[in-house]
Amino acid sequence: MKPLDPEEFRRHGHLVVDFLADYYKNVEKYPVRSQVEPGYLKKRLPESAPYDAEPIEKILGDVQNDIVPGITHWQSPNYFAYFPSSGSIAGFLGEMLSTGFNVVGFNWMSSPAATELESIVMDWLGKMLKLPSEFLFSGGGGGVLQGTTCEAILCTMVATRDRVLKKIGRENINKLVVYGSDQTHSAIQKAAQIAGINPSNFRAIATSKSNAFGLTAEAFRAQVESDVESGLVPLFLCATIGTTSSTAVDPLGPLCSVAKEFNIWVHVDAAYAGSACICPEYRHFLDGVENADSFSFNAHKWFLTTLDCCCMWVKDPSALVKALSTYPEYLRNKASDEKSVIDYKDWQITLSRRFRSLKLWLVIRSYGVANLRKFLRSHIKMAKNFEGLIGMDKRFEVVVPRNFATVCFRISPIEISGNHQIVSKEEAANNINAKLLETINESGKIYMTHAVIGGVYVMRFAVGATLTENRHVILAWKVVQEHANALLNSS
């Protein structure tokens, strides 16, 4: 057995690349959402592992026959669900290089290039976003590549938790309070649970349609003052640029002003929409970030960089290091002892880490800022087109303002006929929109997901798949109309 024989690797590698190239070429032909039933794969695969080796050709045949039917095709041009996970040739090849070198880059000494490239790329990207200099290594801050936003929020929450407990005593951890809005991603609640925050001290502050479901400084202040009066200690606010449900934007400037009064750490979660902010016309959504403590966005969502790649910056790296650092004897080395290098193990939850910066470096270099902006703008333009098609059909309505490339829409309650003595017209509208979405997704032609915003069930149309063109958007609208016609006529 020769697990890394160069010639065998070359032959197998060509077969896998050819397989994936054909997959991308034909991905449009597959049902977007997997059509299998739970437990389908157990019926197809053997009960135990093979005793003898099997050829790659047979394995790839089984991938095509058994695995592909169970995949929901995130790279399909007809994929409009959740948020995008955009891929690219550069991202894929960068991942190949990272996997090929297979370094475990916990500290500088373990692979200097892995650490130094990450620091350089994060400053590049910070400058593309016009982040304040305090977030860059050149300004005393710095950036790190985490796996996901969940990790970014947890790391920053733990950093400020330890900083505050050092002042008030660890026995007072039950007094700490974490804030978000009712639109903030559930990652903040999960982070609070892991960080030991009392579950009763997690605040999901109500938002409303009148403020486009953004968290207002007034509501935030009222909650903080109430907690202080109750003897609690405000700790952490997660403000969002582009919420999951509707891509709402929290006003950073006013929120940071309130937070500053009460010494609250502000983390800005721009997981989805941060990518768009490299375009000058969308950078204003980050106004006020200069007064935040940390900022993150997911390059693996809408930035052509394959999963996983969450870009996070902090103004005070020492806060992370103090909370997350361990230094066992077997990791000791001269460069670390002299504090002349960055050891990224102290900026994250895990010790081991992948060479993620390679793929981000390849993406930025292969496409350049100009083409990345063009890519993002093309999706936003397609979303505008979809919004325009909705406006031409009086049966439908856009429920919340579109900020980026996600449109939240529904069949209007006005179109819902029948006896509504049992349920309200709004509830009837929610039910029929849920039914419409399910029939659309069952068709396999397109895939969308939903949200409930202010009690209103909406269908979310998120443009962002790399292969999507305007013709796919037009096709998607026709699919929506066809299913709406059938549903409204039958009801």
Side-chain angles (χ1 to χ4, degrees), residues 326-345:
T326 55
Y327 199 23
E329 181 61 35
Y330 50 79
L331 293 183
R332 298 190 72 91
N333 63 86
K334 184 179 178 182
S336 296
D337 286 345
E338 292 177 349
K339 296 187 175 6
S340 59
V341 295
I342 297 162
D343 286 340
Y344 273 126
K345 70 179 178 61

Side-chain angles (χ1 to χ4, degrees), residues 81-103:
Y82 303 108
F83 280 136
S85 180
S86 59
S88 66
I89 295 169
F92 179 82
L93 295 180
E95 191 71 69
M96 282 181 66
L97 285 171
S98 174
T99 302
F101 291 133
N102 201 25
V103 304

